[in-house]
Amino acid sequence: MKPVEIYTSPLCGYCHAAKRLLKQKGVNFSEINIVTQPGKRAEMMQRAKGGRTVPQIFVGDTHVGGYDELNALDRAGKLDALLAA
């Protein structure tokens, strides 16, 4: 399984939803909290090609986007393949 990284903030409902979806699928992920690690925001924006909102989710080198994109991949049956590839 590819490594999964998710940039989050504690009060973000979409961040919690994304983490819940990943946990339900049994996916281990690294969480980067941009509130407690403010220097990581610039890193997130660079990796996400300007994406400023959280969550920003990465599967390996692939930028998935936010929760809506993660959920859409799962509903289309494409998330498992992305994780396994």
Side-chain angles (χ1 to χ4, degrees):
M1 185 173 287
K2 288 183 181 175
V4 176
E5 294 177 294
I6 178 170
Y7 291 84
T8 66
S9 71
L11 300 176
C12 167
Y14 287 108
C15 297
H16 292 289
K19 292 187 293 184
R20 186 170 42 252
L21 174 60
L22 291 170
K23 286 177 186 174
Q24 287 172 348
K25 297 189 81 52
V27 175
N28 292 321
F29 56 88
S30 299
E31 181 176 0
I32 302 149
N33 184 325
I34 64 167
V35 173
T36 59
Q37 300 176 35
K40 295 290 186 175
R41 178 180 284 278
E43 174 187 284
M44 174 193 80
M45 290 172 55
Q46 180 180 6
R47 289 183 71 195
K49 298 185 180 25
R52 302 176 62 84
T53 60
V54 288
Q56 291 295 329
I57 304 161
F58 296 84
V59 177
D61 292 330
T62 302
H63 177 227
V64 172
Y67 170 72
D68 289 338
E69 292 82 8
L70 181 72
N71 190 42
L73 280 173
D74 188 44
R75 293 182 70 166
K78 296 178 181 179
L79 181 56
D80 291 335
L82 178 61
L83 291 166

